[in-house]
Amino acid sequence: PSACGLGPELVELPGKECVHLSKAMVERQEECAARAAFRGFDRLARGLLLTLQAAEPSFQPDVYSDDQGHFTAGAGVYRDKLKPLLDSTDAGHLLSIFSYTGEGACVEHVDRGFITLVTNTDGALQVQDSQSRWLDVPATNGLVAFAGKTLEFLTQGKYRAVPHRIAPGKASGRVSLAFKLRAPLAAELVLQNGDGTTVTTVGQLFENHVDAVG
């Protein structure tokens, strides 16, 4: 695949080529079809996140920022405090185009961000339920949405990060789009648990709790 003049980036797993597009990357291109796609995915993911906030009173992160653009997100108050975190130039929202040429290209993992939106026109996507069973996600011309690890921690497990993969034997020939709504890696998360308060960063959360790059 290619987009905005960029060629395939070979990733660490065999059987897959991909192009990763950041917001800064698509906005730099005067003529880039992916810019409209990026903006559309971004609006959908943000809207879904705000809908989840409205439905879950415990998910009201209070976000503070300093003059250097560093953020701290803690047990919170107002939903509008989340916006600076999402609008940060370091947030790392990503639109990816994947082309699968063989098996082993998308093994079991969870994503680190808030929300992932992905296409699944061939029905090859699988998610894992609470009993560790792999379930086929029905083919659709729409989008499949699932939570990432940042959302799981900020909602204290109300919305759990979803383990997912491409079903064995169904990867070859698959082409898909995935959009990931993320927080900056340096953003500090103040997490409440039974033992008190824990402070970590999104980057540390990623390293400690996410099985593979998402």
Side-chain angles (χ1 to χ4, degrees):
S2 63
C4 294
L6 302 172
E9 172 191 347
L10 298 179
V11 297
E12 71 280 2
L13 293 173
K16 178 170 67 175
E17 292 183 349
C18 63
V19 172
H20 296 305
L21 300 173
S22 67
K23 181 177 180 179
M25 191 179 297
V26 299
E27 293 296 337
R28 284 199 303 266
Q29 304 294 326
E30 293 185 3
E31 297 183 4
C32 176
R35 180 190 298 177
F38 190 102
R39 290 176 176 176
F41 276 109
D42 184 72
R43 285 194 295 269
L44 283 172
R46 288 173 185 246
L48 180 56
L49 190 63
L50 292 177
T51 299
L52 294 178
Q53 281 189 280
E56 178 50 51
S58 68
F59 181 33
Q60 299 293 332
D62 195 6
V63 178
Y64 307 92
S65 63
D66 60 22
D67 293 337
Q68 285 72 47
H70 300 141
F71 298 93
T72 298
V77 263
Y78 304 115
R79 72 182 61 178
D80 61 351
K81 294 292 185 67
L82 189 62
K83 192 173 185 298
L85 202 63
L86 298 177
D87 288 344
S88 168
T89 55
D90 298 323
H93 311 320
L94 207 63
L95 175 61
S96 299
I97 308 167
F98 297 110
S99 176
Y100 298 88
T101 58
E103 296 304 310
C106 185
V107 295
E108 173 187 351
H109 68 286
V110 296
D111 293 344
R112 71 168 170 86
F114 289 109
I115 297 283
T116 294
L117 302 176
V118 63
T119 59
N120 187 45
T121 56
D122 58 359
L125 182 65
Q126 289 186 325
V127 295
Q128 191 176 57
D129 67 10
S130 58
Q131 298 179 9
S132 299
R133 298 174 299 187
W134 285 103
L135 307 176
D136 293 329
V137 178
T140 176
N141 289 324
L143 296 170
V144 178
F146 43 80
K149 208 66 183 182
T150 305
L151 182 60
E152 176 181 322
F153 271 73
L154 283 180
T155 60
Q156 301 179 35
K158 173 69 175 181
Y159 301 108
R160 294 190 176 277
V162 178
H164 55 283
R165 70 180 185 183
I166 301 303
K170 293 188 176 181
S172 185
R174 174 181 168 88
V175 176
S176 64
L177 297 176
F179 180 82
K180 298 166 185 178
L181 190 71
R182 293 174 165 176
L185 287 174
E188 292 184 334
L189 302 177
V190 183
L191 309 174
Q192 307 293 327
N193 52 52
D195 300 325
T197 300
T198 301
V199 178
T200 187
T201 66
V202 171
Q204 290 170 335
L205 186 70
F206 181 38
E207 294 177 1
N208 295 337
H209 298 283
V210 179
D211 297 326
V213 176

